[in-house]
Amino acid sequence: NPNASGINTSANVGQYEDTGSAQYAHMIFNNNSNYDLSTRNIVRVKVYVPTPATAHTAPAQLALKLQDGGLAAPWETQVEVIQTYQYDTWQELVFDFSGQSAATNFNRMIVQFNGENNYEAVTAYFDDFTLGDQ
């Protein structure tokens, strides 16, 4: 943990590093079964993003996308929720997928810091990733 303070004093956290070499950089989490969004449709995650070393034009945002990983082009039917973040502080971001409570086809979550369609580097830290209810 590069900044054990505030809402996250744990010693170990996940690290995401986008070197700026990929236009659509992200993390993919595939689930063996489809998400049950009927009651568990709120995603919470703590994030810490240090101020970038170089000037950025990409937004300071985290996008979570739910996809059907069985499709040839899963991005065509994905749902996405975006939250902005502040640099240099731990914060909890909440992603509300309750509008998808009837969906039964999502088994993949995409986690994308920094937005799409850019080549800007970002280092981010995350912890306490949960899928639950309100």
Side-chain angles (χ1 to χ4, degrees):
N1 187 343
N3 183 19
S5 65
I7 64 167
N8 194 356
T9 58
S10 63
N12 298 303
V13 299
Q15 179 179 343
Y16 170 78
E17 184 131 10
D18 174 359
T19 62
S21 62
Q23 188 174 8
Y24 296 97
H26 55 264
M27 293 183 287
I28 297 175
F29 295 99
N30 289 311
N31 200 26
N32 290 334
S33 58
N34 292 348
Y35 295 114
D36 178 2
L37 299 174
S38 63
T39 58
R40 297 177 60 218
N41 49 41
I42 304 295
V43 177
R44 297 175 187 277
V45 60
K46 292 177 184 171
V47 299
Y48 176 84
V49 182
T51 299
T54 59
H56 267 211
T57 59
Q61 69 180 33
L62 177 58
L64 292 190
K65 305 171 186 188
L66 298 180
Q67 296 180 344
D68 180 343
L71 298 176
W75 55 88
E76 291 179 353
T77 59
Q78 74 184 8
V79 294
E80 174 181 39
V81 176
I82 297 173
Q83 295 291 346
T84 59
Y85 54 78
Q86 303 297 312
Y87 292 120
D88 304 316
T89 187
W90 277 104
Q91 60 227 268
E92 183 179 62
L93 302 181
V94 179
F95 299 83
D96 185 349
F97 289 99
S98 60
Q100 302 300 314
S101 63
T104 59
N105 61 317
F106 296 120
N107 61 357
R108 175 182 290 165
M109 184 178 296
I110 304 293
V111 180
Q112 187 173 49
F113 285 92
N114 215 27
E116 288 191 347
N117 198 19
N118 70 73
Y119 289 97
E120 294 179 351
V122 63
T123 299
Y125 301 89
F126 57 94
D127 202 10
D128 300 330
F129 214 110
T130 62
L131 173 62
D133 57 12
Q134 296 285 348

